[in-house]
């Protein structure tokens, strides 16, 4: 039997504010001929109808529905704001309300998007985009201009991309927003990245390392010089791992310098520099300057080209510990990428302490996940034949997880310390090291993904791309 879909369109969601939807327990299902059709589990529909017509300024048609169905509609379409942050001093301004709502419900990015017939606002929550608002064609330019003014952009420039920054301060918190504009066919698209200044919870022990992985990683970080490289796609948590490492290294007798784009967390005692490529302040040139600043530890936001890679190696060779990120699919792929860039393999072998790959995966909601037998269509054929995953848990959806089936995220890692055998493999530019990883009990991303499935922490759907690698 097919499960009922409790999603309703964004234009209908916007007819009823979240507060009213919960207060009156109403769900909009249609809006035709100036009559709003609503579902409710309220028995006194006559009194409710009269009150709603005054509140909404429209004719209302009510239909009774079961309490559990109304609950599922409410939780699927109207997220309740976090009670612990309800003391924030909200502005009546629609734009600031959007920003504060996104911050409260744990969104990392807000997308303002222009299309031919309507404009959208989407939030990224736990790595997935969710449509939240529609903005009329007439109102959209005003909102975009307001955002550009707040972030220090040029509102007269609509043909070129721009970058800006907004600081939001309230009585209880202070956070920054990185703003990026992009000219598209039907208007400018803006993406707001919410950058929390709260780094209290950033600790290596809380990121997702198992005990053996944490031991190997800390051993590499404790070395006085060398390179620590963390790889993964955008949004995989690489920067958070770097910040947690910096917190571990941040001591009174240590001089730490970072060059970042953007500065996502501020760390007391760490000298942080914001990348500004338009004036020549790029990774490679800043690294050269860093070497004259008597550093102990250097963090480079990302190795994007051979010039930055060579400067990082030079810094490591002259007695500094260098931390950075790179875009590759695996820990061993990082080494291949550096070789492809043109970095000599013997330099990589002599400076690299550890190569780390990571991903962020959504965790199943413990309240509603359901265990089911694994079938051939669920997993890659080789895993099914080997009987590696006999049963797994599926996402269902409940009140606790807003009907998504998932609640929170967890990082998984692949850690390859550069030992003598690995040094030899790098120098010979060998690409196949699976036997070495197996013999030394080094878990790959695929191994860790399978383990999470077996433990019921995540679903097959969430990590399927890792299972076929």
């Amino acid at each position: 039997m097919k499960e009922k879909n409790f999603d309703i369109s964004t234009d209908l969601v916007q007819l009823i504010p979240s507060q009213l939807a919960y207060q009156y327990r109403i769900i909009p299902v249609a809006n035709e001929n100036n009559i709003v059709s609503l579902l409710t589990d309220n028995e006194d529909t006559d009194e409710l109808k009269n009150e709603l017509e005054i509140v909404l300024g429209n004719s209302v048609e009510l239909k009774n529905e079961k309490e559990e169905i109304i609950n599922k509609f409410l939780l699927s379409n109207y997220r309740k704001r976090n009670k612990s942050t309800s003391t924030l001093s909200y502005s009546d301004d629609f734009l600031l309300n959007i920003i504060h709502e996104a911050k409260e419900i744990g969104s990392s990015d807000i997308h303002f998007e222009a299309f031919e017939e309507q404009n959208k606002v989407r939030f990224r929550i736990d790595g997935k985009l969710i449509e939240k608002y529609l903005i009329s064609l007439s109102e959209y330019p005003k909102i975009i201009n307001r955002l550009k003014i707040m972030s220090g952009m040029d509102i007269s420039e609509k043909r070129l991309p721009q970058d800006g920054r907004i600081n939001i301060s309230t009585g209880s918190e202070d956070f920054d927003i990185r703003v990026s504009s992009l000219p598209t066919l039907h208007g400018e698209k803006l993406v707001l990245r919410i950058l929390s200044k709260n780094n209290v919870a950033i600790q290596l022990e809380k990121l997702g390392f198992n005990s053996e992985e944490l031991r190997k990683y800390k051993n590499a970080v404790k070395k006085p010089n060398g390179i620590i490289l963390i790889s993964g796609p955008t949004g995989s948590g690489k920067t958070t791992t770097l910040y947690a490492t910096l917190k571990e290294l941040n001591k009174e007798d240590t001089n730490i310098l970072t060059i970042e784009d953007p500065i996502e967390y501020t760390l007391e005692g760490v000298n942080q520099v914001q990348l500004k490529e338009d004036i020549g302040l790029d990774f490679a040139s800043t690294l050269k300057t860093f070497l004259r600043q008597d550093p102990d530890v250097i963090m480079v936001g990302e190795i994007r080209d051979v010039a930055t890679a060579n400067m990082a190696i030079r810094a490591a060779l002259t007695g500094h510990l260098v931390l950075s990120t790179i875009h590759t699919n695996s820990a061993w792929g990082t080494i291949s990428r550096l070789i492809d860039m043109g970095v000599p393999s013997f330099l990589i072998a002599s400076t690299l302490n550890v190569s780390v790959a990571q991903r962020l995966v959504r965790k199943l909601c413990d309240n509603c996940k359901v265990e089911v037998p694994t079938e051939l269509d669920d997993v890659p054929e080789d895993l099914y034949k080997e009987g590696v995953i006999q049963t797994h848990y599926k996402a269902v959806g409940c009140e606790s997880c807003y009907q998504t089936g998932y609640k929170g995220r967890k990082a998984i890692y692949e850690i390859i310390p550069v030992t003598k055998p690995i040094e030899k493999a790098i120098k010979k530019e060998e690409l196949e090291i699976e036997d070495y990883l197996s013999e030394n009990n080094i878990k790959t991303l695929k191994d860790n993904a399978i383990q999470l499935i077996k433990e019921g922490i995540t679903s097959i759907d969430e990590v399927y791309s890792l299972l076929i690698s």
Side-chain angles (χ1 to χ4, degrees), residues 243-343:
Y243 276 115
T245 308
L246 289 179
K247 280 193 75 175
E248 186 87 7
L249 296 168
N250 191 10
K251 306 287 190 297
E252 274 192 23
D253 59 358
T254 305
N255 179 21
I256 301 177
L257 299 172
T258 76
I259 172 70
E260 307 170 54
D261 183 30
I263 297 173
E264 296 197 20
Y265 301 93
T266 54
L267 295 173
E268 186 68 30
V270 176
N271 303 281
Q272 296 171 269
V273 178
Q274 170 67 50
L275 185 80
K276 293 178 183 174
E277 289 185 307
D278 55 335
I279 60 170
L281 190 66
D282 57 19
F283 286 128
S285 63
T286 308
L287 257 176
K288 188 181 291 186
T289 304
F290 278 3
L291 294 180
R292 304 189 197 105
Q293 288 283 318
D294 186 31
D296 298 295
V297 179
I298 295 172
M299 194 265 269
V300 184
E302 183 185 340
I303 291 180
R304 299 174 180 170
D305 51 46
V306 68
T308 308
N310 283 331
M311 282 304 304
I313 284 175
R314 178 181 162 189
L317 286 171
T318 53
H320 306 93
L321 186 65
V322 181
L323 288 70
S324 191
T325 69
I326 192 167
H327 284 282
T328 60
N329 292 325
S330 66
W332 189 246
T334 294
I335 294 155
S336 302
R337 175 75 195 282
L338 290 172
I339 293 171
D340 291 342
M341 278 184 176
V343 180

Side-chain angles (χ1 to χ4, degrees), residues 122 227 236 272 288 330 422:
R122 294 195 290 172
I227 300 176
S236 59
Q272 296 171 269
K288 188 181 291 186
S330 66
I422 290 292

Side-chain angles (χ1 to χ4, degrees), residues 45-292:
T45 54
D46 290 336
E47 185 177 335
L48 180 60
K49 180 177 185 297
N50 293 333
E51 190 170 339
L52 286 173
E53 287 183 341
I54 295 171
V55 171
L56 300 176
N58 283 87
S59 296
V60 168
E61 183 181 76
L62 290 173
K63 180 182 176 183
N64 278 109
E65 187 54 272
K66 294 178 182 176
E67 180 183 358
E68 62 180 278
I69 299 296
I70 296 298
N71 284 337
K72 288 185 176 180
F73 269 117
L74 286 171
L75 292 163
S76 293
N77 299 282
Y78 296 98
R79 286 200 173 211
K80 280 185 176 179
R81 286 183 169 174
N82 191 335
K83 292 178 182 177
S84 65
T85 56
S86 61
T87 55
L88 289 174
S89 54
Y90 290 98
S91 162
D92 291 334
D93 185 275
F94 171 66
L95 181 57
L96 288 179
N97 275 333
I98 288 178
I99 292 172
H100 282 299
E101 181 185 358
K103 181 72 167 60
E104 282 188 2
I105 63 177
S107 171
S108 60
D109 300 85
I110 310 169
H111 291 238
F112 290 81
E113 300 171 306
F115 299 100
E116 185 174 6
E117 296 181 357
Q118 60 185 12
N119 301 302
K120 298 179 180 179
V121 178
R122 294 195 290 172
F123 291 177
R124 187 174 294 281
I125 301 170
D126 286 340
K128 302 293 181 182
L129 281 170
I130 297 173
E131 190 173 299
K132 290 293 292 184
Y133 297 101
L134 296 178
I135 302 174
S136 67
L137 296 179
S138 60
E139 290 295 316
Y140 188 76
K142 299 176 190 174
I143 289 172
I144 294 301
N145 282 342
R146 174 78 192 281
L147 276 169
K148 290 174 76 173
I149 290 169
M150 290 171 67
S151 58
M153 294 183 187
D154 180 0
I155 62 170
S156 64
E157 181 55 80
K158 303 180 187 297
R159 301 167 301 166
L160 295 172
Q162 296 185 70
D163 292 304
R165 203 175 184 96
I166 301 171
N167 176 257
I168 303 290
S169 294
T170 69
S172 59
E173 65 177 346
D174 179 22
F175 61 94
D176 285 340
I177 297 172
R178 182 184 67 183
V179 184
S180 173
S181 75
L182 179 72
T184 66
L185 179 62
H186 299 293
E188 289 182 280
K189 170 183 168 70
L190 261 64
V191 175
L192 280 62
R193 165 65 61 89
I194 298 172
L195 309 173
S196 174
K197 291 185 178 181
N198 177 18
N199 57 66
V200 175
I202 305 175
Q203 295 177 356
L204 287 175
E205 289 77 10
K206 295 182 179 179
L207 296 184
F209 292 105
N210 63 39
S211 57
E212 181 63 16
E213 288 170 343
L214 186 60
R215 183 187 64 79
K216 289 176 180 176
Y217 184 70
K218 282 191 170 184
N219 284 344
V221 169
K222 286 175 183 176
K223 293 181 180 180
N225 58 280
I227 300 176
I228 312 290
L229 276 182
I230 302 174
S231 68
T234 301
S236 59
K238 303 185 299 293
T239 305
T240 302
T241 302
L242 281 183
Y243 276 115
T245 308
L246 289 179
K247 280 193 75 175
E248 186 87 7
L249 296 168
N250 191 10
K251 306 287 190 297
E252 274 192 23
D253 59 358
T254 305
N255 179 21
I256 301 177
L257 299 172
T258 76
I259 172 70
E260 307 170 54
D261 183 30
I263 297 173
E264 296 197 20
Y265 301 93
T266 54
L267 295 173
E268 186 68 30
V270 176
N271 303 281
Q272 296 171 269
V273 178
Q274 170 67 50
L275 185 80
K276 293 178 183 174
E277 289 185 307
D278 55 335
I279 60 170
L281 190 66
D282 57 19
F283 286 128
S285 63
T286 308
L287 257 176
K288 188 181 291 186
T289 304
F290 278 3
L291 294 180
R292 304 189 197 105

Side-chain angles (χ1 to χ4, degrees), residues 370-386:
V370 174
E371 189 174 12
V372 294
T374 302
E375 299 180 1
L376 179 57
D377 291 341
D378 296 327
V379 294
E381 190 173 350
D382 58 328
L383 289 181
Y384 182 77
K385 287 179 178 177
E386 293 167 12

